Amino acid sequence: MSYTVLIPARLASTRLPNKPLADLEGLPMIVRVAQRAARSGASQVVVASDSPEVLAACTAHGVQAVLTRADHVSGSDRLAEACEQLGLDGQDMVVNVQGDEPLIAPAMIDACAAQLSARPDCVMSTVAHALADAAEFANPNVVKLVTDARGTALYFSRAPIPWWRDAGSATPQPGSALRHVGLYAYHAGFLRRFPSLQASPLEQIESLEQLRVLWHGERIAVHISDERPGPGVDTPEDLERVRTLLRNGA
């Protein structure tokens, strides 16, 4: 199984300006993410950014990177352009690793790619893990999903799903609640087609672009992981947490 890891990165961030270049124990965060992804079975790891500063940081540390347009509305749009620049064939597999996940598990990247390879009926694959914490279940910043019997995504939501009627509150039902991990695999051909798909009302309501895929009748396969991913970085507090983990050998 051969695949390319693409990592979208942009400097604009409301909560943490210049996030890709944030220092993590001597290395820019985007370099940490790329180095982590390189421990997977990917044939190549490429950063896609609209920032010359990000490209310069990657080049200085031996990380391959391409410069993309600044007007992309989503990471998927940015990666579609990167596929064109890299000359990827329509059937080439791409895994989208978020640029703020410096502790992503390499095995989870491999599992996401393997899930898509095993499901030719699906245009995408992603990852989830069991969710048991009531506070996370109720948190709109934690994306939940439900699947069918084959592990195909039925819906993604910021709301607590599935809702346990008999509990009378936002309590995750054991064995049913899943937290979505923002890791995606696609074939390059579908990734290039994605920006041309009409945005869906559900996507706009939930602010979750994967709902566009479901709205157009396509399928997303879900790998259920036994482990949680390392913490991502959205805020200054997250940044300090990851720095501490790296100092302790994460």
Side-chain angles (χ1 to χ4, degrees):
M1 182 180 65
S2 176
Y3 67 91
T4 294
V5 165
L6 293 180
I7 306 170
R10 63 186 184 94
L11 283 183
S13 173
T14 55
R15 288 182 288 183
L16 191 59
N18 298 326
K19 182 164 65 169
L21 301 179
D23 180 78
L24 288 178
E25 295 300 293
L27 288 174
M29 179 162 60
I30 192 64
V31 172
R32 287 277 184 191
V33 175
Q35 290 180 345
R36 193 87 170 189
R39 299 183 197 173
S40 71
S43 57
Q44 61 177 341
V45 176
V46 184
V47 171
S49 179
D50 61 354
S51 165
E53 292 90 344
V54 170
L55 260 67
C58 290
T59 300
H61 294 281
V63 173
Q64 185 179 355
V66 295
L67 185 65
T68 59
R69 301 197 319 268
D71 60 349
H72 290 303
V73 297
S74 73
S76 297
D77 294 295
R78 191 174 310 286
L79 296 194
E81 182 188 350
C83 285
E84 295 286 354
Q85 290 196 37
L86 294 169
L88 296 182
D89 182 76
Q91 287 303 307
D92 288 341
M93 194 185 305
V94 171
V95 177
N96 177 352
V97 174
Q98 301 300 315
D100 55 6
E101 296 284 349
L103 298 179
I104 188 72
M108 195 175 284
I109 299 173
D110 288 333
C112 188
Q115 186 74 4
L116 180 61
S117 181
R119 293 289 304 272
D121 59 315
C122 295
V123 298
M124 284 175 57
S125 63
T126 192
V127 177
H129 65 80
L131 177 59
D133 183 85
E136 287 188 331
F137 192 56
N139 186 346
N141 293 315
V142 174
V143 178
K144 280 72 67 174
L145 75 153
V146 289
T147 70
D148 67 12
R150 293 193 63 201
T152 309
L154 292 172
Y155 193 65
F156 298 81
S157 182
R158 297 182 182 280
I161 57 171
W163 182 266
W164 192 0
R165 185 197 65 176
D166 293 339
S169 63
T171 301
Q173 186 173 3
S176 296
L178 295 171
R179 178 176 186 165
H180 180 230
V181 178
L183 190 64
Y184 301 100
Y186 349 58
H187 293 292
F190 176 75
L191 184 53
R192 284 197 290 262
R193 182 164 64 91
F194 178 82
S196 69
L197 296 176
Q198 178 186 353
S200 79
L202 296 174
E203 170 190 1
Q204 294 168 336
I205 291 169
E206 297 261 18
S207 191
L208 297 173
E209 66 178 20
Q210 63 269 38
L211 290 175
R212 187 186 315 181
V213 179
L214 301 184
W215 193 73
H216 283 277
E218 303 285 5
R219 295 177 176 177
I220 301 175
V222 181
H223 167 73
I224 309 299
S225 175
D226 291 331
E227 62 177 326
R228 295 172 64 102
V233 177
D234 288 316
T235 66
E237 293 76 19
D238 295 336
L239 189 63
E240 289 305 318
R241 185 180 306 115
V242 170
R243 284 171 175 159
T244 298
L245 289 169
L246 287 170
R247 282 195 294 269
N248 292 333

